[in-house]
Amino acid sequence: MSERIRILAVDDSQSTLEVLKRNLESNGYEVFTALRVAEALSLLDSLDIDLVITDYRMPQATGLDLIRHVRDNYPDTEIMMITGYPSIPGAVEAIKDGAGEYLPKPFTAEELLTVVERIVQRLLQRRVLGSPDTPPDNFGIIGNSPEMDLVFQRIGKASSTDANVLISGDSGTGKELVARAVHYNSDRRSAPFVPVNCTAIPDSLLESELFGHVKGAFTGAKDARAGFFEIAAGGSIFLDEIGDASPNMQAKLLRVIQSKEYCKVGSSHVHTVDTRIIAATHKDLKRLVAEGSFREDLFYRINVVDIAVPSLNERGDDILVLISHFMGKFAEAMNRAVPSLTDEALQAFRHYSWPGNVRELENLVQRLVVIVDHDPIEITDLPESMRFILSSEGGVDRSLADVEKEHISNVLAMTRNNKTRAAEILGINRKTLREKLKRMGLE
């Protein structure tokens, strides 16, 4: 990040403040502390604070009072609640009043940093998306191909309505990024965006995870718990990989979408749902419906607005824009100059199949920026699976001689013209390679 994240820690315990300050500053954050809410308000007035970490119970004004003040007056500031008196009602109240995260004491340094890093990622993503009132071009998503223009048009339409949204696309294409763009550019932007992995919830915990439970609802329910729909009240719930949802989960989701009501496990009290459904899948749901493995009635409930995210190979020169973006991002994080790519390496990037799509591209660029210590990045620095990618620009109507010539040229480039190593890779001896090079005019 170009600027240090500023954190304000508020707690009536000096020792807690010292622990927070020591752990956070050692990880690159700029930390300010306050023993009272009044002192915190003064610091908020004089400093641009990115994240407020506040205790729950304090003398005079409480942490909830501070949360409400921050949310009303500093809408771009993230909030995290910590407390030595953990309670589910307190957590729900804190979240509803604007706290993005809730962490009970005692907590380890690792637990603290994990939550703070998650908040910071959310903060930086919101900054990328820009002000909710003046959304940036393309909703902060990198790409300017005609295929992505269609995605941006659908995001705009979906953001202006409260209809349920189904996002489809291969793994790694950025479906959650599209879902967040829909949420943070809608009227629900100030309420929570709650992601739910439909494959990660076992049927035995399904109702409890989705709708919550009361204390004593079942063996092991020592405390009450808020479900995903309660936490997402007023906002959006993102059902990731809904195509993998079990039949039981499909039935529960259909019922809550239809009735707009639910009960917690162990309670007969009816809660009203005010949550937008944004679902995503890498599977063909129409085919699953035809096969009988996905409910047709649920499909039509979630597929009001559909957004199809193209694969990276369908996005043309967007890959060049993305490479430039990721190179700059990771080079800045490492405080180094942005590296360049040789023509051969760039060609390999351009013609690789990218089965992992944008996620694979981002991970590879990060690896190259971290590991490669010379400039430019060469084709020999790339994974072996990318080194022998032949250009497809010539189509399939080329002669065998043309294909052979291009392949030998690529191998020579990869080996930096080491003919002995090239001959080994090609499975021929050095004399045969010399003869081929002479015949092809490559000597």
Side-chain angles (χ1 to χ4, degrees), residues 390-417:
L390 295 178
S391 171
S392 60
E393 294 176 352
V396 296
D397 57 349
R398 292 179 296 166
S399 68
L400 183 60
D402 288 340
V403 174
E404 182 184 40
K405 180 178 180 180
E406 184 174 6
H407 184 52
I408 291 176
S409 298
N410 287 337
V411 172
L412 284 170
M414 190 274 292
T415 60
R416 301 184 188 182
N417 213 36

Side-chain angles (χ1 to χ4, degrees), residues 102-246:
Y102 185 89
L103 184 65
K105 300 176 183 176
F107 48 80
T108 65
E110 182 179 0
E111 290 171 337
L112 170 67
L113 294 172
T114 297
V115 176
V116 170
E117 287 169 6
R118 185 163 63 235
I119 293 173
V120 169
Q121 288 300 315
R122 186 163 64 237
L123 174 67
L124 296 177
Q125 181 163 347
R126 185 180 298 127
R127 288 178 177 175
V128 169
L129 291 173
S131 170
D133 295 327
T134 55
D137 292 342
N138 297 351
F139 305 95
I141 300 174
I142 305 299
N144 50 29
S145 63
E147 292 77 12
M148 287 304 295
D149 284 341
L150 295 176
V151 174
F152 301 141
Q153 292 173 25
R154 285 301 179 96
I155 291 175
K157 291 180 179 179
S159 300
S160 64
T161 74
D162 207 31
N164 294 336
V165 180
L166 176 62
I167 304 169
S168 60
D170 294 339
S171 296
T173 51
K175 296 187 291 294
E176 183 170 345
L177 190 60
V178 171
R180 290 182 180 274
V182 171
H183 172 77
Y184 286 112
N185 286 277
S186 73
D187 291 339
R188 294 178 177 269
R189 65 178 71 94
S190 60
F193 174 90
V194 179
V196 178
N197 187 340
C198 293
T199 63
I201 307 176
D203 278 354
S204 59
L205 299 176
L206 188 57
E207 283 198 88
S208 175
E209 292 290 322
L210 291 177
F211 311 127
H213 63 254
V214 297
K215 183 178 180 181
F218 49 83
T219 303
K222 297 180 180 180
D223 297 295
R225 177 172 181 172
F228 291 127
F229 276 93
E230 183 174 1
I231 295 173
S236 303
I237 187 166
F238 175 54
L239 303 173
D240 195 14
E241 298 304 349
I242 195 169
D244 294 320
S246 68

Side-chain angles (χ1 to χ4, degrees), residues 336-358:
R336 60 167 290 186
V338 179
S340 58
L341 292 165
T342 64
D343 289 343
E344 293 83 0
L346 195 56
Q347 280 293 94
F349 268 89
R350 190 67 180 80
H351 297 291
Y352 181 59
S353 60
W354 298 110
N357 288 290
V358 179

Side-chain angles (χ1 to χ4, degrees), residues 173-443:
T173 51
K175 296 187 291 294
E176 183 170 345
L177 190 60
V178 171
R180 290 182 180 274
V182 171
H183 172 77
Y184 286 112
N185 286 277
S186 73
D187 291 339
R188 294 178 177 269
R189 65 178 71 94
S190 60
F193 174 90
V194 179
V196 178
N197 187 340
C198 293
T199 63
I201 307 176
D203 278 354
S204 59
L205 299 176
L206 188 57
E207 283 198 88
S208 175
E209 292 290 322
L210 291 177
F211 311 127
H213 63 254
V214 297
K215 183 178 180 181
F218 49 83
T219 303
K222 297 180 180 180
D223 297 295
R225 177 172 181 172
F228 291 127
F229 276 93
E230 183 174 1
I231 295 173
S236 303
I237 187 166
F238 175 54
L239 303 173
D240 195 14
E241 298 304 349
I242 195 169
D244 294 320
S246 68
N248 189 26
M249 185 175 193
Q250 293 178 40
K252 303 294 184 187
L253 290 173
L254 178 63
R255 183 156 63 248
V256 74
I257 293 172
Q258 287 178 327
S259 66
K260 297 290 186 181
E261 294 177 341
Y262 69 90
C263 293
K264 291 187 175 184
V265 177
S267 171
S268 59
H269 178 69
V270 177
H271 296 261
T272 301
V273 173
D274 177 23
T275 305
R276 184 196 204 156
I277 306 293
I278 305 176
T281 180
H282 72 283
K283 294 185 174 180
D284 184 348
L285 289 191
K286 288 184 178 179
R287 180 177 59 81
L288 296 183
V289 168
E291 294 173 351
S293 58
F294 195 86
R295 297 183 64 122
E296 184 176 22
D297 42 8
L298 178 59
F299 172 72
Y300 288 117
R301 287 283 184 177
I302 61 176
N303 190 32
V304 180
V305 179
D306 65 299
I307 303 177
V309 185
S311 66
L312 186 55
N313 283 331
E314 297 175 294
R315 295 176 55 177
D317 287 340
D318 274 357
I319 188 172
L320 306 179
V321 180
L322 287 163
I323 291 171
S324 177
H325 169 73
F326 292 139
M327 284 285 193
K329 170 185 172 181
F330 294 120
E332 181 181 15
M334 292 187 62
N335 195 29
R336 60 167 290 186
V338 179
S340 58
L341 292 165
T342 64
D343 289 343
E344 293 83 0
L346 195 56
Q347 280 293 94
F349 268 89
R350 190 67 180 80
H351 297 291
Y352 181 59
S353 60
W354 298 110
N357 288 290
V358 179
R359 184 187 297 122
E360 181 184 4
L361 173 64
E362 181 177 12
N363 290 343
L364 176 59
V365 171
Q366 181 181 23
R367 177 178 177 274
L368 293 172
V369 172
V370 170
I371 293 177
V372 179
D373 55 5
H374 55 259
D375 191 18
I377 293 172
E378 302 177 4
I379 194 168
T380 51
D381 300 315
L382 304 183
E384 187 173 350
S385 59
M386 295 181 63
R387 296 177 191 170
F388 304 108
I389 298 300
L390 295 178
S391 171
S392 60
E393 294 176 352
V396 296
D397 57 349
R398 292 179 296 166
S399 68
L400 183 60
D402 288 340
V403 174
E404 182 184 40
K405 180 178 180 180
E406 184 174 6
H407 184 52
I408 291 176
S409 298
N410 287 337
V411 172
L412 284 170
M414 190 274 292
T415 60
R416 301 184 188 182
N417 213 36
N418 184 327
K419 294 183 177 61
T420 301
R421 175 61 181 144
E424 292 175 357
I425 293 173
L426 293 167
I428 58 179
N429 58 45
R430 184 181 172 91
K431 179 180 178 182
T432 302
L433 176 59
R434 283 201 308 270
E435 291 173 350
K436 286 181 178 290
L437 292 176
K438 185 176 180 180
R439 185 176 67 251
M440 294 174 179
L442 298 176
E443 185 73 359

